[in-house]
Amino acid sequence: SPLPPPPPPPLERVPTFNWLCGFLGATRPAVDALSPGELATLLWALARLGHAPDLAFMDAWYRAAAARAAAFGPAELALALHALGALRPGVGVPGAVPGRFARELLPAAQRMLGACGGAQLAQVLWGLAELRLWPGRGWLDDWLAGGCGLGV
C-alpha cells in the first residue's frame, strides 16, 4: 500500500504562513549551497508542515537537486521523493516537475537502487508515482531486482 503523507504537526508548533513564506524567501538564495541531505530535509519539513512552497522556491530547489542528483544517497533520495510526493507538484504545489530534474534524478536513482532498503525502495516508487513520473521499464526492472532479497 502507498505510504501516507507525513502527519500534520501539533498546531501549537506550526509557524505561520507568513513566517514560512519569509523563511523560504530568505532561504532561496542559499539553496544552491545545500547538501543533498539538507535539500531533502528542507523539503520534508515543508511537507510535514503542510506548506506548499512557491514556484520561485521550487525552481531553486529543483535546480539544486538536479545539480547534485549523483550525490544523493539512498536515504536522501527516499526522503526527497517522499516529500515531493506528499507535496504533489502540479497538484498540491503550483508547477510541475521540471524535465531536467527528472533527467538527472532517474539515472542517479537507478544506480543506487541496489543500496536501498525495503522502506527506501517503497518511498522512491511511491514518490515517483505521486509525481506521475514514469521511469521506464528498465528502471522498474532494476527496482524489482533491488527489492528481491527484501520481500518487496
Side-chain angles (χ1 to χ4, degrees), residues 45-86:
L46 293 171
R48 177 89 165 85
L49 291 169
H51 183 80
D54 61 30
L55 284 173
F57 178 83
M58 287 308 298
D59 284 344
W61 190 92
Y62 282 125
R63 183 185 63 248
R68 289 168 190 68
F72 273 73
E76 293 92 2
L77 173 71
L79 187 62
L81 284 172
H82 189 216
L84 280 170

Side-chain angles (χ1 to χ4, degrees), residues 5-141:
L11 292 178
E12 68 273 3
R13 296 185 187 162
V14 176
T16 66
F17 176 82
N18 289 340
W19 188 92
L20 284 167
C21 289
F23 170 77
L24 291 178
T27 304
R28 188 172 51 245
V31 166
D32 288 321
L34 297 179
S35 70
E38 292 166 334
L39 287 166
T41 302
L42 176 58
L43 209 58
W44 175 85
L46 293 171
R48 177 89 165 85
L49 291 169
H51 183 80
D54 61 30
L55 284 173
F57 178 83
M58 287 308 298
D59 284 344
W61 190 92
Y62 282 125
R63 183 185 63 248
R68 289 168 190 68
F72 273 73
E76 293 92 2
L77 173 71
L79 187 62
L81 284 172
H82 189 216
L84 280 170
L87 288 170
R88 300 190 67 199
V91 179
V93 174
V97 177
R100 177 179 178 223
F101 175 76
R103 285 189 306 275
E104 297 291 333
L105 179 79
L106 290 174
Q110 188 173 11
R111 288 189 293 274
M112 74 178 76
L113 288 173
C116 289
Q120 292 167 339
L121 286 169
Q123 286 177 308
V124 166
L125 195 60
W126 181 82
L128 292 177
E130 286 296 309
L131 296 172
R132 310 297 190 258
L133 288 178
W134 169 248
R137 179 68 184 208
W139 195 101
L140 289 173
D141 288 344

